[in-house]
Amino acid sequence: ETDLGQASLGEAVDSIRSTLLTKLEWPAEMSFAFSGQNEEWERSQSSLLLALGLSIFLVYVIMASQFESLVQPLIIMGTVPLAFLGSVIGLKLLGISLSIVVFLGLIMLIGIVVNNAIVLVDYTNVLRNRGLSTEEAVCTAGSVRLRPILMTTATTVLGLFPMALGLGDGAEIRTPMAIAVIFGLMSSTALTLLVIPTLYLLVDKALAKFIKPSGINASTESSSLS
C-alpha cells in the first residue's frame, strides 16, 4: 500500500498507473484512463503553455517598438529565466507542486520582472547618449537606479506577502501563485543587477565588431539591422 495523501497530482497519477500496470493483469480487451483533476490538468496544459509563450512574445514586441531595437529587448528578456529559476527554487523548497494557479503566477511574473531591466537599460542608453563610455554608463546606471529597483521590488513583495501567508478561506488556491511571484521577483531583482549589465557589455562588444564602434545604441542598431 502507498500513502498518496501528501503526494502531488502528478505523483499520485504515476503511482496509481504503475500499480495498475505492474500488479494487475489486464485482459487484452480492457484498459484504463484517468479523469477528474488529471484530465482537466492535461487539457489545460497546452492552453497555459500557449498563454505563456504569447505573453513573452507580446512583451518583446512592445519593448522592441518602444526601444526601436531588436537586440535590446532580448537583453531585457534575460530577466524572465532568472525569475523562473527563483520560482522553481521557492516552490521546491516549500514543497508546492506545479498547478494551474502557479502557471498563472508565472505568466503574471513575465510582465513584472522586465520592469527593472527596462529601467536599467533605458538609463544606460541615456548616459551613453550623453557621451559616457559603455562601461561608465553601465556602472553609473546600476548605482543610480539601484534605489528605484529595490523600492519597486519591495512594494510588490510586501503587497503579495499577506497572500503568501495563506490566511483565510481559499488560501490554498492563492498561496502558490503568490509564492511563485515573490521568489521569482526576488531572484530576478538580485540577478538582474549583475546579469543584465554583463549581457549589455557583451552584446555591445559583439556588435561593435560587425557594425560600428557605437555599439548597441538604439538608433545605430535599428539602422544596421534594417
Side-chain angles (χ1 to χ4, degrees):
E1 296 183 0
T2 303
D3 183 13
L4 300 177
Q6 300 299 324
S8 63
L9 176 62
E11 293 173 346
V13 171
D14 291 340
S15 178
I16 295 173
R17 180 183 288 109
S18 176
T19 301
L20 292 176
L21 291 175
T22 57
K23 297 184 178 181
L24 296 178
E25 295 183 2
W26 291 86
E29 66 276 5
M30 293 183 62
S31 63
F32 61 90
F34 295 93
S35 60
Q37 292 185 3
N38 181 69
E39 186 179 11
E40 292 294 330
W41 168 245
E42 292 181 350
R43 186 185 301 117
S44 61
Q45 267 186 323
S46 57
S47 300
L48 290 172
L49 290 174
L50 177 61
L52 187 67
L54 185 60
S55 62
I56 294 175
F57 173 74
L58 291 176
V59 169
Y60 174 79
V61 169
I62 292 174
M63 289 192 298
S65 63
Q66 292 297 316
F67 279 95
E68 297 181 357
S69 166
L70 297 176
V71 177
Q72 288 189 356
L74 290 177
I75 298 175
I76 297 173
M77 294 300 292
T79 58
V80 175
L82 300 179
F84 286 175
L85 175 63
S87 297
V88 171
I89 293 175
L91 295 174
K92 187 69 175 178
L93 290 176
L94 298 178
I96 300 176
S97 304
L98 185 64
S99 62
I100 297 177
V101 178
V102 173
F103 246 108
L104 295 177
L106 296 178
I107 294 173
M108 181 174 64
L109 192 62
I110 294 173
I112 298 176
V113 297
V114 296
N115 293 334
N116 294 334
I118 290 175
V119 170
L120 199 59
V121 172
D122 182 66
Y123 193 64
T124 302
N125 291 337
V126 171
L127 294 176
R128 295 195 63 190
N129 291 331
R130 294 177 182 175
L132 273 69
S133 65
T134 305
E135 291 78 5
E136 292 176 339
V138 167
C139 295
T140 304
S143 60
V144 172
R145 295 304 184 190
L146 177 61
R147 180 183 293 180
I149 289 175
L150 294 179
M151 290 174 61
T152 302
T153 301
T155 53
T156 307
V157 169
L158 291 177
L160 290 171
F161 190 71
M163 185 186 301
L165 292 178
L167 304 177
D169 297 333
E172 65 277 2
I173 298 178
R174 303 187 302 266
T175 300
M177 180 177 64
I179 290 175
V181 175
I182 288 175
F183 275 90
L185 186 57
M186 289 193 301
S187 68
S188 175
T189 301
L191 295 175
T192 292
L193 298 171
L194 299 175
V195 175
I196 297 304
T198 303
L199 286 177
Y200 193 102
L201 289 172
L202 292 176
V203 173
D204 179 78
K205 292 180 180 179
L207 291 178
K209 297 179 180 179
F210 300 102
I211 307 175
K212 293 180 180 180
S214 55
I216 60 174
N217 278 335
S219 59
T220 303
E221 179 198 339
S222 60
S223 62
S224 62
L225 294 177
S226 59

